[in-house]
């Protein structure tokens, strides 16, 4: 790396260069008052364009007002000797590009998506678009928390400047939305599209569209269908399709909607992990196939009748159904009735599995399932209690 440039920034000293790209270089530095280590980004526009420098300053001032754990903290910014500088916190956990190359699992990908979506929600609610979402602009704290950086071509919504006109063709084509490629008006849904491209890259390890040049990549974003995920990840296809919809109206309309969906996936990951941790506690017994079929048939027939009878006999039994869909409510009712039927017939193994499924997949507060599971497997019951929100 090169030595620091001959640039005198008040209250800051520049040390060694630690990265560069395009018009920008990043240096380790130190702020004098208050005393702390910082990363300092220096942008030197071609021709020392004053309009670009002024726009960068305005946009830097905007980001400096953000206070969010998933957005880089900016300490100062300004223009000195035809160079724009931005002093920010040091993020020592590396970037997403490196993590993708090393390989990340699905839960990590969803956790990163959730962190970045929260950052976008914060920025969008304050009228600021990022416009350059890509793995290199997602860094990490040592604890693994994802942080969105480099709002260098950010744009205030409903505003147009000389730099943002240039910014319409600045950025990485692999992550540009169809409307941006076509020069149409962009909004927060364009950032969400770019995040969808990053999501695909985290899941698959390669970019969603490849091409020999910028034109080919842009054409693919506008015209090519969303790629199919491999079978083992096909349950994420609907989410990917919504993120990468060609029409803005078919995507998540804001980051808040996306966050809500991602939280559902994260809860599923947590439930699956809980179920896996409980599996050694479940003692399975072998039953002849014919007997299983007859017993299951009887259980299904009796399911709804038993459930209604139990609820009439014991009004204190409550089900936390606020977050369940109508189909899930029916499935919960059927499983509870079947589990009670198995329990009454002495088929404790089948009953235990159904009670456990009810508590881990539908409603961890269901009193009837908790009470029966406690009788059948106290250890599994305690794990449900401990993991219940």
């Amino acid at each position: 790396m090169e030595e620091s440039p001959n640039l005198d920034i008040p209250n800051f000293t520049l040390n060694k260069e630690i990265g560069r790209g395009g018009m920008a270089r990043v240096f380790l530095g130190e702020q004098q008052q208050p005393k702390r280590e910082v990363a300092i980004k220096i942008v030197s526009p071609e021709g020392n364009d004053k309009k670009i420098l002024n726009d960068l300053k305005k946009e830097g001032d905007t980001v400096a007002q953000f206070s969010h754990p998933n957005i880089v903290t900016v300490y100062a910014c300004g223009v000195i000797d035809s160079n724009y500088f931005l002093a920010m916190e040091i993020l020592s956990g590396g970037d997403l590009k490196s993590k993708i190359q090393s390989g990340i699992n699905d839960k990590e990908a969803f956790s990163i998506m959730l962190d970045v979506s929260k950052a976008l929600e914060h920025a969008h609610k304050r009228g600021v678009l990022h416009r350059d979402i890509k793995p290199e602009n997602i860094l990490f704290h040592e604890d693994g928390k994802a942080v969105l950086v480099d709002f260098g071509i950010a744009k205030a919504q409903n505003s147009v400047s000389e730099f943002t006109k240039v910014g319409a063709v600045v950025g990485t084509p692999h992550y540009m939305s169809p409307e941006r490629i076509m020069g149409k008006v962009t909004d927060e849904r364009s950032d969400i599209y770019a995040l969808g491209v990053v999501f695909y890259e985290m899941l698959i390890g390669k970019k969603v569209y490849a091409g020999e040049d910028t034109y080919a990549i842009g054409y693919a974003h506008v015209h090519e269908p969303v790629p199919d995920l491999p079978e083992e990840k096909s349950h994420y296809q609907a989410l990917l399709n919504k993120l990468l919809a060609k029409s803005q109206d078919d995507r998540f309309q804001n980051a808040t909607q996306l966050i809500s969906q991602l939280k559902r996936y994260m809860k599923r990951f947590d439930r699956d992990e809980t179920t896996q941790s409980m599996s050694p506690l479940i003692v399975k017994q072998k039953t002849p196939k014919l007997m299983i079929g007859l017993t299951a048939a009887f259980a299904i027939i009796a399911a709804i009748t038993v459930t209604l009878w139990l609820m009439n006999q014991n009004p204190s039994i409550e089900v936390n159904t606020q977050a369940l869909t109508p189909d899930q409510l029916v499935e919960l009712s059927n499983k509870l009735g079947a589990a009670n039927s198995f329990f009454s017939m002495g088929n404790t193994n089948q009953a235990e599995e159904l009670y456990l499924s009810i508590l881990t997949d539908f409603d961890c507060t269901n009193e009837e399932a908790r009470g029966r599971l406690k009788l059948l497997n106290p250890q599994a019951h305690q794990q449900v209690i401990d993991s219940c929100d």
Side-chain angles (χ1 to χ4, degrees):
M1 294 293 182
E2 296 181 1
E3 296 298 323
S4 61
N6 185 21
L7 190 63
D8 184 14
I9 304 176
N11 199 35
F12 292 92
T13 58
L14 273 67
N15 299 317
K16 66 178 181 178
E17 181 180 335
I18 57 174
R20 65 167 58 198
M23 297 182 294
R25 290 183 291 169
V26 180
F27 298 85
L28 284 178
E30 186 175 347
Q31 184 173 1
Q32 302 304 314
Q33 297 293 333
K35 200 83 169 177
R36 59 187 164 201
E37 290 187 333
V38 297
I40 301 178
K41 179 179 178 179
I42 306 294
V43 182
S44 303
E46 185 177 350
N48 297 326
D49 191 310
K50 291 184 179 180
K51 290 181 179 180
I52 291 180
L53 290 170
N54 288 335
D55 284 336
L56 280 169
K57 174 64 168 59
K58 291 177 183 178
E59 290 154 2
D61 285 338
T62 299
V63 178
Q65 296 176 37
F66 291 163
S67 178
H68 192 276
N70 300 117
I71 295 179
V72 64
T73 300
V74 173
Y75 301 124
C77 64
V79 177
I80 295 178
D81 297 337
S82 298
N83 292 277
Y84 168 76
F85 80 90
L86 183 142
M88 56 191 171
E89 65 177 316
I90 295 174
L91 298 165
S92 56
D95 64 20
L96 181 55
K97 182 178 180 180
S98 300
K99 285 186 179 291
I100 291 173
Q101 291 172 345
S102 300
I104 57 178
N105 61 43
D106 292 354
K107 184 178 180 181
E108 289 173 327
F110 273 87
S111 179
I112 293 166
M113 284 286 290
L114 186 56
D115 282 348
V116 179
S117 296
K118 290 177 180 178
L120 288 178
E121 179 186 48
H122 187 82
H124 291 167
K125 285 184 176 179
R126 285 151 183 80
V128 177
L129 308 178
H130 187 279
R131 304 178 79 242
D132 197 20
I133 305 294
K134 58 184 179 182
E136 295 91 327
N137 285 340
I138 299 170
L139 305 185
F140 297 90
H141 285 292
E142 287 187 357
D143 63 2
K145 182 187 299 177
V147 179
L148 186 58
V149 305
D150 201 350
F151 284 75
I153 59 173
K155 172 180 174 291
Q157 295 189 63
N158 303 318
S159 69
V160 178
S161 66
E162 192 66 27
F163 179 62
T164 54
K165 288 178 184 176
V166 176
V169 293
V170 171
T172 309
H174 286 100
Y175 305 93
M176 285 186 182
S177 63
E179 62 272 14
R180 188 170 172 208
I181 289 169
M182 293 186 291
K184 297 182 178 180
V185 175
T186 60
D187 57 25
E188 55 199 89
R189 295 170 293 182
S190 300
D191 277 346
I192 290 173
Y193 180 94
L195 184 56
V197 179
V198 173
F199 177 57
Y200 180 89
E201 194 168 341
M202 287 193 289
L203 291 178
I204 306 301
K206 62 181 181 181
K207 294 178 175 59
V208 65
Y209 298 119
E212 295 181 357
D213 52 35
T214 299
Y215 176 82
I217 296 169
Y219 180 89
H221 278 290
V222 175
H223 299 289
E224 293 295 329
V226 178
D228 291 331
L229 293 171
E231 184 177 354
E232 66 272 15
K233 298 181 187 290
S234 60
H235 45 295
Y236 306 138
Q237 189 70 51
L239 174 62
L240 181 69
N241 290 346
K242 193 170 182 67
L243 287 166
L244 296 182
K246 304 300 181 184
S247 170
Q248 293 162 288
D249 293 337
D250 293 333
R251 295 177 210 147
F252 292 97
Q253 295 302 289
N254 51 60
T256 303
Q257 290 181 0
L258 175 56
I259 289 169
S260 177
Q261 186 68 32
L262 293 172
K263 284 182 176 179
R264 293 191 184 99
Y265 279 96
M266 292 303 295
K267 286 183 178 179
R268 173 64 66 177
F269 282 118
D270 292 339
R271 285 198 297 266
D272 290 346
E273 289 178 353
T274 299
T275 302
Q276 290 174 7
S277 68
M278 291 179 182
S279 58
L281 301 174
I282 300 173
V283 181
K284 295 184 178 180
Q285 61 187 31
K286 294 183 179 180
T287 307
K289 291 184 178 179
L290 179 60
M291 182 60 69
I292 291 176
L294 293 173
T295 305
F298 175 81
I300 292 172
I301 294 172
I304 296 177
T305 302
V306 173
T307 302
L308 293 175
W309 181 85
L310 284 168
M311 294 182 73
N312 288 330
Q313 294 298 314
N314 188 357
S316 64
I317 297 175
E318 296 183 357
V319 178
N320 181 20
T321 61
Q322 294 181 355
L324 300 181
T325 66
D327 288 343
Q328 289 174 322
L329 288 172
V330 172
E331 188 175 354
L332 184 152
S333 176
N334 289 342
K335 281 195 172 186
L336 184 59
N340 288 327
S341 296
F342 283 130
F343 184 88
S344 300
M345 293 183 295
N347 192 337
T348 57
N349 184 60
Q350 294 278 38
E352 180 183 329
E353 289 191 7
L354 285 171
Y355 288 132
L356 190 58
S357 174
I358 290 166
L359 293 169
T360 56
D361 293 337
F362 295 94
D363 177 20
C364 64
T365 66
N366 186 284
E367 294 297 332
E368 179 70 9
R370 278 191 177 192
R372 292 291 173 84
L373 182 62
K374 186 175 183 179
L375 293 173
L376 297 171
N377 193 329
Q379 288 179 291
H381 169 266
Q382 189 59 50
Q383 287 197 21
V384 168
I385 300 300
D386 292 341
S387 64
C388 187
D389 292 339

